[in-house]
């Protein structure tokens, strides 16, 4: 799994279109192997990002849970602490 793709479900405030697009871009970059596609592949690359974003948005809007929404700041702090522990010198 690409570490740059973050969990987007069940947050307060809800995920934004920009966050979905950023995750879709990372996913397409990962599976294509391109950070920036050539001119010949650019249109397909951008179309793939849009398709992945659309499917992701529909998925996130349709999922249901009874768990309370997570707080973005608290989750970011937990991730930072895990990273500090993992990469401690």
């Amino acid at each position: 799994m690409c570490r740059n793709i973050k969990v987007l479900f069940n947050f307060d405030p809800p995920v934004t279109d920009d966050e979905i697009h950023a995750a879709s871009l990372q996913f397409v970059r990962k599976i294509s192997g391109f950070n920036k596609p050539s001119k010949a592949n650019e249109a397909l690359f951008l179309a793939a990002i849009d398709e992945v974003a659309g499917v992701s948005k529909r998925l996130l809007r349709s999922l249901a849970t009874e768990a309370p929404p997570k707080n973005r700041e608290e989750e970011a702090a937990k991730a930072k602490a895990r990273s500090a522990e993992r990469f401690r010198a």
Side-chain angles (χ1 to χ4, degrees):
M1 179 61 147
C2 184
R3 290 186 186 146
N4 293 333
I5 299 175
K6 307 296 183 218
V7 173
L8 300 177
F9 178 62
N10 197 27
F11 278 97
D12 186 31
V15 66
T16 65
D17 288 345
D18 288 341
E19 290 170 312
I20 293 172
H21 183 270
S24 300
L25 172 61
Q26 288 298 323
F27 179 75
V28 172
R29 282 179 174 169
K30 183 71 171 186
I31 63 171
S32 69
F34 296 128
N35 191 33
K36 185 174 191 310
S38 66
K39 288 290 183 188
N41 293 319
E42 186 173 26
L44 294 170
F45 188 84
L46 295 175
I49 293 167
D50 290 342
E51 287 184 43
V52 170
V55 170
S56 298
K57 188 184 299 186
R58 287 192 300 277
L59 173 66
L60 292 169
R61 302 284 190 265
S62 65
L63 292 173
T65 184
E66 294 190 18
K70 296 175 260 183
N71 180 287
R72 290 178 185 273
E73 290 78 24
E74 289 174 7
E75 293 300 316
K78 288 179 192 176
K80 190 172 184 177
R82 284 191 304 269
S83 178
E85 179 68 24
R86 181 175 181 202
F87 296 108
R88 188 172 29 173

